[in-house]
Amino acid sequence: MDFNILCSDKTWIKLFFLVWIFASSFTNGNWMYLGMSSVAVDTQQTEKCNTVPGLVLEQLDLCQRNPESLLCVSEGARQAIHECQNQFKFERWNCTTSQNYSVFGPIMTKGTRETAFIYSILSAGVTDSVTRACSAGNLTDCVCDPTNDGKNSVEGWVWGGCSDNVQYGLHFSRKFVDAPEVLKHQDTQSVRNKMNIHNNEVGRRTVRDMMRLRCRCHGVSGSCEIQTCWKSLPKFSTVGAKLKEKYEISIRIAGRSKRKLRPKTPKRHRQARTGRKKRLSKDDMVFVHKSPNFCTPNPIKGILGTEGRLCNRTGSGPESCDLLCCGRGYNTQVVRLTDRCQCRFIWCCYVDCKTCETLFDRHTCK
Ligand SMILES: *[C@@H]1O[C@H](CO)[C@@H](O)[C@H](O)[C@H]1NC(C)=O
Ligand SMILES: *[C@@H]1O[C@H](CO)[C@@H](O)[C@H](O)[C@H]1NC(C)=O
Ligand SMILES: *[C@@H]1O[C@H](CO)[C@@H](O)[C@H](O)[C@H]1NC(C)=O
Ligand SMILES: *[C@@H]1O[C@H](CO)[C@@H](O)[C@H](O)[C@H]1NC(C)=O
């Protein structure tokens, strides 16, 4: 499936507002359900933003001022959820969602590194889709980034075409995605609020920092007398891969931070603390709670366990049966795959094929 469709593209629109599927208990601030495939946002309905449940005041306000933006939020969340599942398909936790309002389920109640990844990729997803919509001329509040229009670069090329307006995407995502975490009184903000905002920003900065220059040549065929260049968004899957790397090296922060978030000091370091302090960078993904091992099912915590998961017997990564099955071992099944093969073209006009059978082993966790 092509997830690079614009949030405003006509192909996008099969529009119903299926919220009645969901439990009536909408907690304000859970807008992520807008990315579930069972939800579609009605463009007509968005004029009445009040009918969209789960939004906080600031989000309602943004929706009312620019109803199309809600389609972008929905499309951004959708591509983020898809990318999360793609990045985690070989992990014990595989970014499972339930087709209901809770989306990622009870794992969201703890500030683990998985939660950190979810926040950052959803924020990145909204940044991406809003920015793409700007370039398509589909949001009333923004257009292509005009900053460099017509200017010459030091290297001799000319700024031209439509540079993706990531500044607007960032701005929108900060307002919309961060809204549920930004409380009136700053000092009532919990560490979780701060953690979420921090990780939202990690997602946005990743999109921004991966913007690439793209160029086109003009002039007599093949010559490149004039070159025009513009800034372009990265493919969203590369953003996903980058955030996955950040997840791997994410930093645990202290559970009580009065003002600024700071890294948790491991116990064994506390005595022999050296002069240099570890600083938190705006690019570090952060978490508060240790993750469970995700090995055994625990419905209350929203953990499915890894029984039945496909694994790789010879691999050594997270998809290896060793790691994925948590030492429980695996079952092997011989799978028969039939396919068309040895095809010949017969004049005229058809293709004649044989049917071939291949056997291979399929391993699943016990
Ligand atoms: C923007 O999106 C709307 C709603 O999907 C669509 O009807 C309209 O044609 C789009 N406008 C442009 C300029 O692409
Ligand atoms: C959402 O779905 C999951 C499984 O599909 C279920 O366990 C959970 O209770 C549901 N939550 C709500 C709020 O309906
Ligand atoms: C994730 O793993 C569960 C089993 O633990 C499986 O049922 C589900 O299909 C997987 N989801 C994805 C998106 O791979
Ligand atoms: C399993 O892992 C090995 C080594 O990484 C790889 O060559 C092989 O293609 C993998 N098999 C499957 C079925 O993914």
Side-chain angles (χ1 to χ4, degrees), residues 32 84 88 93 107-108 110-124 192 195-203 243-244 246-248 250-253 284-289 291:
M32 293 180 182
C84 177
F88 281 83
W93 174 74
I107 74 148
M108 294 292 267
K110 284 272 168 115
T112 61
R113 51 175 84 210
E114 287 70 30
T115 320
F117 182 86
I118 290 170
Y119 276 85
S120 64
I121 198 148
L122 270 110
S123 167
R192 266 307 295 284
M195 169 190 151
N196 295 347
I197 293 175
H198 181 98
N199 291 322
N200 289 346
E201 189 62 20
V202 169
L243 288 175
K244 179 73 186 315
K246 294 190 178 215
Y247 157 89
E248 312 275 1
S250 54
I251 294 174
R252 189 165 179 201
I253 51 173
D284 292 328
M285 201 177 281
V286 301
F287 65 97
V288 182
H289 302 116
S291 303

Side-chain angles (χ1 to χ4, degrees), residues 85 88-89 91-97 304-309:
Q85 293 184 340
F88 281 83
K89 62 183 167 216
E91 304 278 342
R92 287 179 186 168
W93 174 74
N94 63 358
C95 200
T96 11
T97 53
L304 293 176
T306 63
E307 192 185 332
R309 289 280 300 276

Side-chain angles (χ1 to χ4, degrees), residues 152-290:
N152 290 310
S153 74
V154 191
E155 294 87 359
W157 45 262
V158 186
W159 284 98
C162 171
S163 280
D164 283 326
N165 193 347
V166 75
Q167 289 307 327
Y168 184 85
L170 295 170
H171 165 81
F172 183 92
S173 168
R174 280 189 192 113
K175 289 215 139 175
F176 189 94
V177 177
D178 288 1
E181 316 291 339
V182 179
L183 307 176
K184 260 211 190 94
H185 303 290
Q186 273 245 317
D187 38 333
T188 59
Q189 249 177 11
S190 65
V191 169
R192 266 307 295 284
N193 292 137
K194 291 179 191 166
M195 169 190 151
N196 295 347
I197 293 175
H198 181 98
N199 291 322
N200 289 346
E201 189 62 20
V202 169
R204 290 186 285 261
R205 288 169 71 90
T206 304
V207 174
R208 186 196 67 190
D209 295 343
M210 292 179 87
M211 298 282 290
R212 288 287 168 265
L213 203 60
R214 291 180 48 190
C215 297
R216 183 175 289 152
C217 282
H218 308 269
V220 203
S221 66
S223 81
C224 201
E225 282 162 50
I226 305 172
Q227 204 180 11
T228 53
C229 302
W230 63 96
K231 283 260 184 136
S232 174
L233 281 170
K235 271 180 78 169
F236 196 68
S237 56
T238 64
V239 174
K242 187 75 192 173
L243 288 175
K244 179 73 186 315
E245 278 173 26
K246 294 190 178 215
Y247 157 89
E248 312 275 1
I249 55 166
S250 54
I251 294 174
R252 189 165 179 201
I253 51 173
R256 286 164 203 258
S257 303
K258 284 241 166 61
R259 282 169 186 274
K260 286 184 103 169
L261 296 181
R262 57 187 171 77
K264 191 178 173 74
T265 323
K267 273 204 188 89
R268 64 196 141 81
H269 287 168
R270 248 171 230 166
Q271 263 98 40
R273 199 187 299 185
T274 53
R276 62 198 166 87
K277 261 191 190 163
K278 229 169 69 177
R279 282 255 193 84
L280 212 55
S281 148
K282 284 188 171 175
D283 293 308
D284 292 328
M285 201 177 281
V286 301
F287 65 97
V288 182
H289 302 116
K290 274 192 174 162

Side-chain angles (χ1 to χ4, degrees), residues 7-10 13 43 68 71 136-138:
C7 36
S8 43
D9 205 12
K10 287 205 186 92
I13 305 161
T43 34
E68 309 93 77
L71 289 171
N138 216 310

